[in-house]
Amino acid sequence: MIRRFFAGFLASALCVSLAAQVTERPRPEEWKQLVPGARFMDRFLPMPDGVKKSHVWGTDSVQNRYVDNGIEQDDMSFWGGNILQTADGKYHLYVCGWPERSRNGHMFWPNSTVFHAVSDRLSGPFRIQNSIGKGHNPEAFRLADGRVVVYVIDGYYIADSENSPVWCYQQFDFDARDRNIIEGLSNLTFARRADGSYLMVCRGGGVWISRDGLSTYQQITDKRVYPAVEGRFEDPVVWRDSLQYHLIVNDWLGRIAFYQRSKDGIHWVTEQGEAYVPGISFHKDGEVEHWFKYERAKVFQDPDGRAVQMNFAVIDTIKGCDQPGDRHSSKNICVPLNKGLLLSVLNEQPITASTKQIEVKIKAEPGFSPQTDVDIESLRFGSFTEVNFGRGSKPLKTRKEGDDLIVVFSGKGSGIMPDEFAPKLIGRTTNGELLYGYARLPYVDYAPALLSARRPQYNKDQGLLKLKISNFGLSASRPSQVEVCCGGKVIASGDIKPLSPYEEVELALKPAGTATGADSAYEVIIRTDGQEQERVLFRQPAAK
């Protein structure tokens, strides 16, 4: 009796303490002017019909839910996980979980097990086939040779295929490249690049690259790439489609996520509006499954790389209030997404303020005919900074090209600047449904070189600065220039020859003055054709 009293008392105290950690972030005033289709969360579609049940575990806000959506068991708590598909059409979910009656309830998560679950439907229900091993926050990806990697905090499992009965546990190697690691290496997320290499984003928002997904991950950035806003960020998810990279990161304290895009995975733009917030899981009749927390977002992609479904780890209450044997628990849910249109700009010359017309091709797809299904007058095209607010270029006329449709827009008001890599379209179908998409520009290099420097090493005997520079991009670099600054002054500079992808060169630079040494703070700036490619500050001395 006394033991149960104190257990209940501690649980209540923990809930009160954790409740103080939940806050509502104020939104920018301009977000009030966003049109439908501006926010990533506008892409969420109703959950597929399934088996509804009430009088099951969970608060009143999640009763009458689809119990066959994702993975759910009365005796298990689940968290994290994403889906891969095999050639036989089966869907494989790699998810972690623990017995619901485990001591400490949800806070037993450090002892979780990774399970392999299978379904005939993308939305589930998923049934456990076998366990892979201990681990938490899994994310699965397929290597170029077909092997499957399941990342977990502090390591990964690897097997020949999704159905392998035996998985080998290993650990990644990381090279910070003289940069500070941003908030540690946990909750990693991965995107396969066009050459089979992998880009990884860690929880803190640092970007890393591995040549094959298993070899050493090299840190490229020296600061987080997340939006420059107040937030307690975690649970990034990154993916690449046939046009660009996408990144969503969650502010767990504010319960709001942000959506970003990039052409190279290093330099990002942030779109206005929420990527997701609690309440984005709804039924066709409008009923909402109001889960308290939506975390560990993952995406399932179509053959063009477009996200067609998002998976979430959800819980019906504050994590610390989920105690063993109570009515609270967690599961993984599946929410479909509007995948968007396949678009391309036909203008061969860069679009500027003087461009008279912009031609955009809308590609036909099974079940979608742009020639009959598009409300032409509703379309707006241009930079997301314009289109998301209902502005942008307006359509002038159309013409057919096979089954595709070419829409000719006025060049006026597009807002497209020289750094634009994927202008946006928003509109409606003739039935009033949302249309959106991002267009490929024929004059943009979507596989640029990525020159990146290590910390300069000063050789006192030779009086030289040794500087290693590598190309982590997918194409050969152009002749470039580098400057090394110390104490706010340029102390050395030099030329960088063209480098092939993954090639490295070491420069020997003669510094001006004597304000250099092993403990000096250096800033290195790399420019190509006058445009800055990298600027990194090395505050700490490099290890010898």
Side-chain angles (χ1 to χ4, degrees):
M1 177 72 72
I2 294 176
R3 182 178 299 173
R4 288 200 300 270
F5 170 79
F6 278 108
F9 174 80
L10 290 174
S12 298
L14 182 59
C15 286
V16 172
S17 174
L18 289 175
Q21 298 181 28
V22 177
T23 187
E24 294 298 330
R25 303 289 191 197
R27 278 30 171 189
E29 279 296 313
E30 68 168 0
W31 286 15
K32 295 179 180 178
Q33 308 303 319
L34 294 173
V35 300
R39 304 176 301 173
F40 185 92
M41 66 179 291
D42 295 336
R43 305 174 193 179
F44 287 102
L45 299 172
M47 303 170 77
D49 290 335
V51 177
K52 284 187 179 183
K53 284 188 179 180
S54 296
H55 308 295
V56 288
W57 64 260
T59 59
D60 291 344
S61 63
V62 295
Q63 296 300 305
N64 202 36
R65 66 175 176 268
Y66 291 135
V67 294
D68 60 341
N69 178 281
I71 186 167
E72 176 176 335
Q73 290 183 203
D74 291 341
D75 60 345
M76 291 291 296
S77 295
F78 294 104
W79 203 250
N82 70 304
I83 299 169
L84 300 179
Q85 187 179 20
T86 45
D88 61 1
K90 299 286 187 181
Y91 297 95
H92 301 259
L93 171 66
Y94 298 91
V95 64
C96 66
W98 56 95
E100 195 278 331
R101 290 184 175 272
S102 300
R103 68 181 187 279
N104 302 329
H106 187 89
M107 293 308 165
F108 192 77
W109 67 259
N111 303 288
S112 60
T113 297
V114 178
F115 296 105
H116 168 217
V118 180
S119 176
D120 293 325
R121 298 199 314 165
L122 180 57
S123 61
F126 287 88
R127 306 298 184 195
I128 293 175
Q129 299 297 300
N130 59 291
S131 63
I132 292 176
K134 294 295 183 182
H136 195 65
N137 285 352
E139 178 171 307
F141 60 90
R142 192 179 290 113
L143 299 174
D145 62 9
R147 287 182 294 168
V148 176
V149 174
V150 179
Y151 159 78
V152 294
I153 293 177
D154 293 333
Y156 67 92
Y157 294 92
I158 187 168
D160 290 337
S161 71
E162 286 82 354
N163 291 307
S164 294
V166 178
W167 293 75
C168 179
Y169 178 80
Q170 300 183 25
Q171 291 183 309
F172 291 120
D173 291 323
F174 301 98
D175 183 352
R177 301 182 62 250
D178 312 313
R179 293 147 167 82
N180 291 326
I181 297 176
I182 307 168
E183 295 182 25
L185 286 166
S186 65
N187 293 7
L188 312 183
T189 181
F190 305 83
R192 184 174 174 179
R193 304 203 300 173
D195 67 342
S197 61
Y198 271 83
L199 178 142
M200 179 269 283
V201 179
C202 66
R203 172 177 175 162
V207 177
W208 304 64
I209 289 175
S210 165
R211 191 162 183 176
D212 59 12
L214 293 182
S215 59
T216 302
Y217 277 85
Q218 314 267 348
Q219 188 172 0
I220 310 301
T221 58
D222 67 330
K223 59 181 69 69
R224 74 181 192 181
V225 298
Y226 297 154
V229 298
E230 180 184 9
R232 298 289 295 276
F233 293 116
E234 68 170 9
D235 293 349
V237 56
V238 67
W239 69 98
R240 183 184 67 87
D241 61 22
S242 59
L243 176 62
Q244 60 188 334
Y245 293 85
H246 306 262
L247 175 64
I248 289 179
V249 64
N250 181 39
D251 170 12
W252 64 266
L253 183 62
R255 297 195 302 167
I256 175 178
F258 296 85
Y259 171 56
Q260 301 176 272
R261 298 183 291 106
S262 171
K263 75 170 182 177
D264 58 16
I266 307 297
H267 307 93
W268 296 85
V269 296
T270 302
E271 291 217 27
Q272 308 93 342
E274 301 92 340
Y276 62 84
V277 294
I280 46 82
S281 47
F282 59 96
H283 303 175
K284 292 178 182 178
D285 61 6
E287 186 169 7
V288 178
E289 297 183 10
H290 283 289
W291 298 95
F292 182 76
K293 285 271 192 179
Y294 293 73
E295 297 185 355
R296 302 301 301 160
K298 300 297 174 188
V299 299
F300 183 85
Q301 299 171 252
D302 76 354
D304 292 298
R306 293 173 294 181
V308 298
Q309 177 176 282
M310 187 163 278
N311 281 60
F312 292 95
V314 293
I315 188 169
D316 65 315
T317 186
I318 293 172
K319 295 176 182 178
C321 295
D322 177 10
Q323 295 296 301
D326 65 4
R327 64 177 301 201
H328 303 301
S329 192
S330 56
K331 64 174 291 187
N332 188 287
I333 66 170
C334 306
V335 186
L337 291 165
N338 181 331
K339 63 184 178 182
L341 303 174
L342 295 174
L343 308 174
S344 58
V345 168
L346 302 184
N347 299 51
E348 295 184 357
Q349 297 301 314
I351 297 171
T352 67
S354 62
T355 299
K356 301 298 184 183
Q357 295 183 346
I358 304 172
E359 296 192 351
V360 180
K361 179 190 287 188
I362 304 177
K363 186 176 180 179
E365 300 183 66
F368 171 70
S369 170
Q371 297 176 9
T372 59
D373 296 345
V374 177
D375 177 356
I376 302 299
E377 293 303 314
S378 72
L379 300 180
R380 296 294 181 270
F381 183 77
S383 168
F384 73 94
T385 59
E386 299 297 313
V387 174
N388 283 350
F389 294 94
R391 303 186 294 264
S393 298
K394 297 180 180 180
L396 300 175
K397 56 186 177 180
T398 65
R399 68 176 185 271
K400 299 177 181 179
E401 184 178 275
D403 293 331
D404 302 333
L405 180 68
I406 297 174
V407 182
V408 181
F409 290 88
S410 167
K412 183 179 179 180
S414 74
I416 294 176
M417 304 298 287
D419 59 353
E420 180 62 69
F421 59 90
K424 187 174 185 179
L425 179 143
I426 291 180
R428 298 185 303 275
T429 68
T430 52
N431 293 328
E433 298 174 350
L434 171 66
L435 291 175
Y436 81 94
Y438 297 93
R440 176 175 293 274
L441 294 170
Y443 50 83
V444 168
D445 179 8
Y446 290 96
L450 296 174
L451 296 180
S452 185
R454 298 202 72 133
R455 189 183 197 278
Q457 300 285 307
Y458 180 62
N459 187 305
K460 185 176 180 181
D461 295 335
Q462 297 178 340
L464 294 174
L465 278 174
K466 301 292 184 69
L467 178 62
K468 291 182 179 180
I469 297 176
S470 301
N471 178 11
F472 290 96
L474 302 180
S475 62
S477 64
R478 294 173 54 81
S480 303
Q481 295 74 44
V482 62
E483 291 180 345
V484 180
C485 302
C486 187
K489 297 180 180 179
V490 177
I491 62 168
S493 61
D495 294 326
I496 308 170
K497 70 172 186 176
L499 298 178
S500 300
Y502 308 107
E503 184 180 0
E504 180 181 80
V505 66
E506 183 175 69
L507 304 181
L509 306 177
K510 185 71 175 178
T514 58
T516 57
D519 296 327
S520 297
Y522 296 108
E523 185 175 45
V524 178
I525 306 166
I526 298 176
R527 294 185 178 90
T528 302
D529 297 330
Q531 299 294 314
E532 187 174 298
Q533 304 299 312
E534 180 179 73
R535 179 186 293 263
V536 57
L537 178 62
F538 297 99
R539 293 186 176 90
Q540 302 295 326
K544 291 295 181 77

